[in-house]
Every structure is written in structure tokens, then in C-alpha cells.
């Protein structure tokens, strides 16, 4: 059974799912108001790797990740640009999915949008008001965190400590600075919905609770997100579930920051580099490899040199994949190397240790190449097969066919036709021309393939 570091117990625990063989996870998705940055790229890759790994281990995974399409930031940005907030959210959601595709992040099974869940949120808020856990001020409905058992669990601080550290706000109607809005009342000129609590919109923390419980039900297996979401966002999600006497996530997982130099990557610190800029300038697989090479809870450093190094590792992976593409299909009788698979599984089972898992893959690649050089085909193929399976488990798509210019492809087809006509002189001329363009063409089972000359 895989184990993960659970933020609420602060230790690595077995994550046995509530229903045997079925794993339910909810990950806070993006607030679509701007270009995603590297931190977004990281969290989405971490949970994509977890999801792929659990599936590979035989779990049926149900993965829900929301789109926050109503938020103060969306409204503010739309105001600046003088467009409708709905349109801004729609545009940036498209940007998001486009980037996810480039990163080879698989779509969640469900991607609820906050604006489709307003009724359910209002029902929750009404329940919390009725039970006395929430109260009304002139600008909205607030949850009284003092009434929530164990508030501070995810922040790893108790209520008194949190209160003394909280920013003193001007809002004197709030009973505590830690109390947070479930429903924000706004003027009717703003974007909002009618409700028993006045015209307004939901608080961010309320959105995820409605969607997670609404789709996955009580006691779902894992709630994840970036480390910066543990407090207050996740703390406040949990607080609402406690206030409603409903069981929430059984485990909590948080991934580390992206660092540029020594600083956390975030827009407010001014070191904002967009994910698009990165993917435009580098093979998107390099970022995935970088994420997999670091433990998910550690800070991830991104520099041009580190990305280049990852690109070199990818070249090595691709060269290996090209070398073994045909032989692996031909030798379907050879079984996966058990030592490689077990080494990988052991690492990944222990708090998703992908850096160690990946090093097992690279060892297998080295052994496969070494054995193949010596003509030990069985050993080569069993290592190669294992490495290829594990690379795909990490979501690293190998390029086992060298991409060539159209011109080269046309010549290769002409050469093939010439050979079929037994016109070997013509076939040799085509081969020489291909060589002049920098490629070597080789015949293979499935037709032909290329190498760099
Ligand atoms: Zn959330």
C-alpha cells in the first residue's frame, strides 16, 4: 500500500482508500485570472504523477480538480481590462488547458466550475447559519472558527497562536480576525447571485468544499494542493466540513514551492515567469523531468542551467528509446526486469519518492545499453521494457522515432520504392542524398527509421 506524508498527522502514513481498490482525490485547481506560473505547472505535474502511479499500481482513481471561475482577483483583473469577468475566466481557462496538454497532464475525471455550484454552496451556508457556526455582518456571512474543533490542524498551530499571528483587520464586525467569509455581499452592479443572504458571491474556501463533497462524497481519500494552500485555504475548507458535521478528506497532501534563486515563485514577489514562457523556450518534457527529479515536498529550483541539464537527460532517454523501439516489440516474450520494477515501486510507495524512482529508471537504461552492446539481448530487453513502462508511468513521453525534415522523409520513401523495384543503384543514390542532409536511414520491421549521421 503506498504511503504519503499526511499534513494533518505530520507523518508518513498508509493511504488505504475508503473503498478497496478505488482512490478518490481532490486537488484545488487554478483561479483563472492570469497566465499560470511555474508553481501551477509544478502542482499539476505532481498530482498527475501521483494519479498515474496509483493507476499503474492497480487503483481505480477518481480525480477531481476544480476551476475557480469566480473570485475577487478575476473581478479586479476584468475591471482593469474592461471586459466581463466571465469572459476573462473563460479565456484563461483555455490558456490553462492548452498548457496542460503541452505538459502531457491528463485531464481530471471531473473539472467542476465554481459558478455551477452556487446553489449547493448556499445550502451549506444556510446550514452553518442555522447551527450557529456562522454569523452575519453588514458585508456577508462569516464562519466563527472558535466554534470549530481542532481549528489549526493543517496550519500546525492552535487557535491562540494563529490569532496572535493574524493581521489585525479594520473589520470590527468580525468576532475574530481568523473568521472568514462564506458569502460576500456586494452591490448589484457587481457580478453576483441572488441569495437569502443578499446579492453577492461565495467565498473561495466555500467553493471547494461544495464541489469536493458534492462529487466525491464524505470521507474521500486525499485532498491536495500547493503548500501555500494548507493555511488558510485548506484549513478553512476543513473548518466548514467540521462545522457541518460532515467528514471531509481523510488525508492531506501538499507540494513544495518553486524557487528562482532563493525566493518562492509567486507573482507578489515580482519574480513572475509564466509557464508559457518556459514551455515556449524548452521541451515541455524537461519541466516534467525536473519536477520528477525533485521530491515533491522539497523546494524546486528552476534555472536555465538546470533546465538544460534536464534536456540532456531527455536526449539520453530518447536515444535509448530509439535504440530499443523495435527490439522490445519483437521480443514480447521477455518479461520486465523485476529488480527494476521493485526498486521503482518501493521508492514511489514511500512518500512518492520520484527522484529515487527515476534513478532506478536511469540505472535500467544504462544496464540495457550495456547488455545490448555485449549481445546479451534477454537482459537488455528486460531492462529496457521496465524502463519504458516506468517512464510512461511518470508521464514522460519518449520520442522513439527521430523527427526528420519532410525532404528527408520523401527521399526515404523514394528509396523504399526503388528497393521494392530492385533498382538498387537508385536506392543508393537516395541513401547518399539523405546522408548529405545529415541522416542515416535504416530498414526496420515497420519500414524504416532514422539516425543522425
Ligand atoms: Zn480549494
Amino acid at each position: 500500500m503506498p504511503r504519503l506524508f499526511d499534513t494533518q498527522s505530520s507523518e508518513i502514513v498508509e493511504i488505504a482508500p475508503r473503498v478497496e481498490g478505488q482512490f478518490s482525490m481532490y486537488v484545488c485547481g487554478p483561479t483563472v485570472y492570469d497566465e499560470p506560473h511555474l508553481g501551477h505547472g509544478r502542482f499539476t505535474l505532481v498530482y498527475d504523477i501521483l494519479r498515474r502511479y496509483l493507476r499503474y499500481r492497480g487503483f481505480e482513481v477518481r480525480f477531481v480538480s476544480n476551476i475557480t471561475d469566480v473570485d475577487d482577483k478575476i473581478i479586479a483583473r476584468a475591471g482593469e481590462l474592461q471586459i466581463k469577468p466571465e469572459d476573462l475566466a473563460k479565456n484563461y481557462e483555455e490558456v490553462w488547458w492548452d498548457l496542460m496538454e503541452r505538459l502531457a497532464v491528463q485531464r481530471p475525471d471531473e473539472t467542476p466550475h465554481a459558478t455551477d455550484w452556487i446553489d449547493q454552496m448556499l445550502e451549506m451556508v444556510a446550514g452553518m447559519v442555522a447551527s450557529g457556526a456562522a454569523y452575519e455582518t453588514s458585508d456577508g456571512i462569516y464562519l466563527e472558527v472558535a466554534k470549530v474543533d481542532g481549528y489549526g490542524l493543517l496550519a500546525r498551530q492552535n487557535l491562540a497562536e494563529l490569532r496572535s499571528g493574524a493581521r489585525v483587520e479594520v473589520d470590527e464586525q468580525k468576532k475574530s480576525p481568523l473568521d472568514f467569509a462564506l458569502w460576500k455581499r456586494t452591490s448589484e452592479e457587481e457580478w453576483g447571485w441572488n441569495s437569502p443572504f443578499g446579492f453577492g458571491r461565495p467565498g473561495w474556501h466555500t467553493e471547494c468544499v461544495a464541489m469536493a463533497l458534492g462529487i466525491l462524497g464524505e470521507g474521500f481519500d486525499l485532498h491536495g494542493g500547493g503548500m501555500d494552500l494548507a493555511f488558510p485555504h485548506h484549513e478553512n475548507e476543513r473548518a466548514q466540513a467540521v462545522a457541518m458535521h460532515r467528514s471531509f478528506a481523510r488525508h492531506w497532501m501538499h507540494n513544495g514551492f518553486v524557487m528562482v534563486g532563493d525566493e518562492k515563485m509567486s507573482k507578489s514577489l515580482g519574480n513572475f515567469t509564466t509557464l508559457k514562457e518556459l514551455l515556449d523556450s524548452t521541451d515541455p518534457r524537461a519541466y516534467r523531468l525536473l519536477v520528477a527529479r525533485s521530491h515533491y515536498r522539497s523546494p524546486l529550483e528552476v534555472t536555465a542551467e538546470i533546465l538544460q541539464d534536464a534536456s540532456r537527460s531527455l536526449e539520453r532517454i530518447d536515444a535509448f528509446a530509439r535504440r530499443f523501439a523495435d527490439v522490445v516489440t519483437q521480443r514480447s516474450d521477455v518479461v520486465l526486469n523485476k529488480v527494476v520494477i521493485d526498486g521503482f515501486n518501493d521508492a514511489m510507495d514511500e512518500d512518492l519518492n520520484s527522484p529515487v524512482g527515476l534513478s532506478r529508471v536511469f540505472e535500467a537504461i544504462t544496464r540495457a545499453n550495456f547488455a545490448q552492446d555485449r549481445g546479451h539481448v534477454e537482459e537488455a530487453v528486460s531492462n529496457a521494457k521496465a524502463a519504458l513502462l516506468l517512464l510512461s508511468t511518470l508521464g514522460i513521453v519518449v520520442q522513439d522515432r527521430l523527427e526528420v525534415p519532410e525532404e528527408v522523409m520523401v527521399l526515404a520513401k523514394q528509396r523504399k520504392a526503388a528497393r521494392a523495384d530492385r533498382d538498387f543503384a537508385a536506392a543508393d543514390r537516395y541513401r547518399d542524398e539523405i546522408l548529405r542532409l545529415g541522416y542515416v536511414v535504416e530498414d526496420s520491421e515497420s519500414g524504416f527509421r532514422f539516425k543522425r549521421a
Side-chain angles (χ1 to χ4, degrees):
M1 188 64 67
R3 286 152 53 87
L4 283 172
F5 182 87
D6 186 354
T7 312
Q8 74 185 356
S9 59
S10 231
E11 60 185 358
I12 296 174
V13 296
E14 264 195 11
I15 48 159
R18 72 181 156 176
V19 180
E20 204 187 324
Q22 294 177 16
F23 198 85
S24 48
M25 54 193 273
Y26 183 94
V27 172
C28 292
T31 299
V32 280
Y33 75 104
D34 205 350
E35 283 283 340
H37 55 70
L38 302 193
H40 292 111
R42 183 182 195 188
F43 93 71
T44 201
L45 284 166
V46 163
Y47 294 102
D48 184 64
I49 289 172
L50 174 66
R51 178 194 192 188
R52 286 169 184 265
Y53 180 69
L54 291 172
R55 272 211 206 128
Y56 149 90
R57 295 292 266 154
F59 290 95
E60 196 183 296
V61 182
R62 190 156 179 224
F63 178 39
V64 179
S65 190
N66 67 296
I67 297 286
T68 295
D69 58 349
V70 52
D71 186 86
D72 291 353
K73 285 184 276 209
I74 295 175
I75 292 163
R77 188 85 206 281
E80 281 166 29
L81 299 172
Q82 301 198 324
I83 58 173
K84 287 192 352 201
E86 298 96 307
D87 292 340
L88 180 92
K90 227 167 139 203
N91 291 346
Y92 279 113
E93 185 181 343
E94 273 173 34
V95 169
W96 175 258
W97 293 124
D98 178 49
L99 294 170
M100 292 306 104
E101 208 166 293
R102 291 174 70 184
L103 282 169
V105 166
Q106 293 174 333
R107 282 248 183 169
D109 299 303
E110 270 156 278
T111 56
H113 289 60
T115 52
D116 292 331
W117 287 79
I118 303 290
D119 290 346
Q120 291 87 336
M121 293 176 209
L122 285 168
E123 210 174 291
M124 279 174 25
V125 178
M128 286 183 271
V129 170
S131 74
Y135 60 91
E136 192 167 352
T137 72
S138 61
D139 64 358
I141 306 292
Y142 287 82
L143 188 79
E144 187 173 354
V145 301
K147 293 204 170 145
V148 173
D149 277 347
Y151 190 83
L153 184 78
L154 298 171
R156 312 295 310 163
Q157 290 185 62
N158 65 33
L159 193 58
E161 286 167 333
L162 284 168
R163 203 181 276 136
S164 70
R167 231 174 339 132
V168 180
E169 292 178 53
V170 211
D171 187 354
E172 283 172 5
Q173 291 182 55
K174 271 168 63 170
K175 296 184 185 175
S176 157
L178 295 171
D179 293 352
F180 59 93
L182 303 173
W183 186 260
K184 297 175 183 179
R185 213 167 273 153
T186 61
S187 98
E188 293 202 19
E189 271 103 73
E190 283 186 40
W191 188 24
W193 290 261
N194 285 313
S195 89
F197 317 107
F199 187 85
R201 55 180 183 263
W204 176 36
H205 313 310
T206 303
E207 299 176 359
C208 286
V209 188
M211 293 183 277
L213 285 176
I215 296 172
L216 294 174
E218 289 195 27
F220 61 93
D221 297 311
L222 186 83
H223 194 319
M227 218 169 251
D228 50 341
L229 294 188
F231 184 84
H233 183 52
H234 289 165
E235 188 78 54
N236 289 348
E237 282 188 30
R238 184 188 160 271
Q240 292 167 79
V242 172
M244 293 186 289
H245 306 289
R246 298 184 69 182
S247 70
F248 202 49
R250 298 168 64 236
H251 304 290
W252 292 85
M253 174 173 167
H254 294 100
N255 66 276
F257 299 129
V258 173
M259 315 286 282
V260 172
D262 303 328
E263 277 191 292
K264 179 192 143 192
M265 165 73 58
S266 83
K267 206 181 172 191
S268 55
L269 289 174
N271 53 7
F272 186 66
T273 304
T274 68
L275 188 56
K276 184 174 183 302
E277 279 168 354
L278 179 107
L279 301 187
D280 283 348
S281 60
T282 320
D283 183 338
R285 299 179 304 153
Y287 194 49
R288 179 181 283 268
L289 189 66
L290 213 62
V291 168
R293 242 164 49 167
S294 319
H295 191 266
Y296 77 88
R297 284 193 284 131
S298 308
L300 173 70
E301 204 189 347
V302 181
T303 64
E305 293 77 43
I306 291 173
L307 280 168
Q308 257 167 25
D309 184 60
S311 298
R312 277 194 295 273
S313 295
L314 280 177
E315 279 168 26
R316 194 177 151 215
I317 289 171
D318 289 341
F320 150 78
R322 283 197 296 274
R323 184 176 193 191
F324 284 93
D326 288 339
V327 68
V328 162
T329 22
Q330 284 158 15
R331 296 298 313 271
S332 54
D333 55 317
V334 178
V335 294
L336 296 165
N337 186 297
K338 193 173 177 314
V339 177
V340 176
I341 298 290
D342 288 350
F344 178 84
N345 293 357
D346 287 350
M348 295 291 278
D349 274 357
E350 192 62 11
D351 200 21
L352 204 69
N353 199 333
S354 57
V356 173
L358 199 57
S359 69
R360 297 285 172 264
V361 176
F362 278 108
E363 284 161 19
I365 289 175
T366 305
R367 272 201 299 275
N369 281 324
F370 190 78
Q372 185 78 350
D373 290 344
R374 276 153 191 74
H376 302 155
V377 180
E378 301 277 314
E379 196 196 337
V381 176
S382 83
N383 274 285
K385 266 191 169 175
L388 289 170
L389 171 70
L390 302 180
L391 285 166
S392 87
T393 300
L394 293 169
I396 297 167
V397 181
V398 296
Q399 290 174 357
D400 57 8
R401 293 281 178 266
L402 188 63
E403 303 242 344
V404 298
E406 185 55 31
E407 203 184 351
V408 173
M409 188 55 90
V410 169
L411 288 166
K413 284 179 184 160
Q414 286 170 329
R415 174 178 170 271
K416 196 180 169 195
R419 280 174 67 88
D421 292 343
R422 306 193 65 79
D423 183 353
F424 296 111
D428 286 350
R429 276 201 305 280
Y430 291 125
R431 185 200 58 207
D432 292 345
E433 231 176 299
I434 291 169
L435 189 61
R436 205 171 42 75
L437 292 166
Y439 297 91
V440 174
V441 63
E442 288 175 344
D443 296 303
S444 74
E445 287 278 294
S446 48
F448 45 77
R449 63 162 173 233
F450 302 96
K451 275 210 262 182
R452 286 216 186 273

